[in-house]
Amino acid sequence: MKKVLLISILFFCGAEIFAQSFYSNRINRRWMATGGFGYARSLGDLTNPGSYFDTRLNIVGGLQYRFTNRVQAGVNLMAFQLSGDDQEIDPELNTRSRGLSFVSNNLELSAKASVSLFPTANRFTQRKLINPYLVAGVGVLFFDPRAEVPDILRDEAGEAIMDVPRAGEMVSLRKYQTERPNTYGRFAMVIPVGVGVRVKVTEFIDVTAQVSNRITFTDYLDDVSGVGGDKGRGYPDKNLFDLNNPEDVTALALSDPTGQGEIRGNPESDDYYLIFNVRAEFYIQGDMLNRIFGVGGKHYNIRPNRGRGGLFNFGNKRR
């Protein structure tokens, strides 16, 4: 009797597991949770020509929805770091040695859409093994360039004038207005544009490799622009700094660490940054998301159609 009961339990459990697995594979899933990492590279006034490996880590996560068999869109949150340094340059690169450097911890919130080269099959599990795509969108960037305060304030001959308050500390450059009078906020609009390739790993997982450029509308990602300034060099007039004020002494040292700056930056071109990511995309059933937004995958009539109401779908009623 016990053996019969045990066999019956195992049979019904196996049948239920099979049914759930069958149903799970039959759902044409449209929601994807994504996550991955890669590198970021600054393209601005402190970028040395030829320094293609001066990169920093980035981490990204997001949620996407497939609207058609080629088009999907979603939101992404990315944390990354940018940096630049011209203190140790190769003279053959003809890069100006200004003694300037920066590092910035950034957050980017973006909405992007991608268009795939090949359409997704009616059943998502039958999608192409390899599928290139184009991607574009719009986003908001939070940035805060920082730098280490020099030890010594120098004159135009490079001679030491005085010690600098807060020497050796990492400070936010924005508050010191190093190109006076320059003010910029902590947020900037960005436009991501790029290409990628999606590779099917399992029925429910894709891996993507994507490279994209960020068009920005600011020239101060690295705190260097070169607008106006003293004698057309892009450096502020030193008369704008009160050397009796410790904060102004620090600001002047950050603005012109060598005291011999020739041209600080190029105000004719905004800054850019390049992003390369490798991400995993997980196809999820998204029942909760379907209830909220009123959208989701087709269920192929395996379960009765009882309507999928949601915040943005008021027309479906129970039958």
Side-chain angles (χ1 to χ4, degrees):
M1 184 65 183
K2 291 182 179 180
K3 291 183 178 180
V4 173
L5 180 60
L6 179 59
I7 293 173
S8 300
I9 293 174
L10 291 175
F11 174 79
F12 284 113
C13 287
E16 178 64 19
I17 291 173
F18 175 80
Q20 290 294 329
S21 175
F22 175 77
Y23 175 69
S24 177
N25 281 275
R26 295 278 290 178
I27 298 174
N28 192 19
R29 300 186 179 189
R30 294 179 177 269
W31 289 102
M32 285 156 280
T34 70
F37 62 92
Y39 69 77
R41 179 173 184 259
S42 173
L43 299 171
D45 292 286
L46 292 185
T47 301
N48 291 321
S51 60
Y52 301 109
F53 300 101
D54 184 15
T55 58
R56 297 282 180 164
L57 180 70
N58 72 67
I59 300 174
V60 63
L63 189 66
Q64 298 188 59
Y65 180 78
R66 180 163 52 85
F67 287 92
T68 72
N69 60 2
R70 290 179 185 266
V71 178
Q72 62 188 54
V75 294
N76 301 273
L77 181 63
M78 179 171 62
F80 63 103
Q81 192 176 77
L82 296 175
S83 66
D85 190 339
D86 70 358
Q87 298 185 59
E88 297 179 1
I89 64 170
D90 185 346
E92 295 182 0
L93 298 177
N94 297 319
T95 304
R96 297 181 298 274
S97 179
R98 299 153 289 187
L100 299 173
S101 64
F102 88 102
V103 62
S104 178
N105 295 319
N106 313 282
L107 282 176
E108 178 194 280
L109 178 63
S110 63
K112 295 188 289 185
S114 65
V115 180
S116 298
L117 178 61
F118 303 114
T120 301
N122 290 334
R123 197 170 298 171
F124 84 102
T125 56
Q126 298 175 347
R127 62 193 182 277
K128 294 285 187 180
L129 176 63
I130 299 176
N131 201 349
Y133 62 88
L134 300 176
V135 63
V138 63
V140 177
L141 172 71
F142 170 83
F143 66 104
D144 183 25
R146 303 171 66 84
E148 183 177 328
V149 178
D151 297 331
I152 302 294
L153 181 65
R154 300 182 182 276
D155 60 17
E156 293 185 358
E159 299 296 331
I161 299 176
M162 63 177 69
D163 293 335
V164 179
R166 306 189 66 179
E169 293 185 28
M170 290 293 294
V171 297
S172 175
L173 293 166
R174 186 178 67 92
K175 61 176 288 189
Y176 286 100
Q177 296 190 41
T178 56
E179 293 186 1
R180 299 186 179 188
N182 71 308
T183 57
Y184 57 89
R186 292 187 175 182
F187 295 90
M189 179 181 175
V190 298
I191 297 179
V193 179
V195 297
V197 61
R198 182 174 290 108
V199 179
K200 178 182 176 182
V201 178
T202 72
E203 288 187 342
F204 301 103
I205 299 176
D206 289 340
V207 171
T208 67
Q210 179 179 298
V211 59
S212 57
N213 195 20
R214 263 46 172 191
I215 302 171
T216 76
F217 297 90
T218 178
D219 196 21
Y220 285 104
L221 293 185
D222 51 14
D223 190 63
V224 177
S225 177
V227 177
D230 182 25
K231 301 178 183 179
R233 300 180 307 164
Y235 288 88
D237 191 325
K238 293 184 179 181
N239 293 327
L240 296 175
F241 298 87
D242 180 4
L243 298 188
N244 293 317
N245 182 344
E247 289 291 297
D248 275 14
V249 173
T250 300
L252 181 55
L254 289 167
S255 175
D256 189 2
T258 66
Q260 301 173 302
E262 296 179 2
I263 299 176
R264 181 172 166 88
N266 177 17
E268 303 299 324
S269 177
D270 288 335
D271 294 333
Y272 296 79
Y273 56 97
L274 185 71
I275 298 293
F276 174 77
N277 277 323
V278 175
R279 294 191 293 180
E281 297 181 343
F282 302 89
Y283 287 77
I284 57 178
Q285 186 170 335
D287 282 345
M288 180 181 69
L289 298 172
N290 295 339
R291 294 189 184 101
I292 295 174
F293 297 105
V295 294
K298 183 178 179 181
H299 288 63
Y300 299 109
N301 296 322
I302 292 177
R303 289 183 177 179
N305 184 6
R306 298 180 178 177
R308 296 190 303 275
L311 228 60
F312 308 116
N313 188 356
F314 301 101
N316 292 337
K317 296 181 179 180
R318 294 182 179 273
R319 292 183 176 87

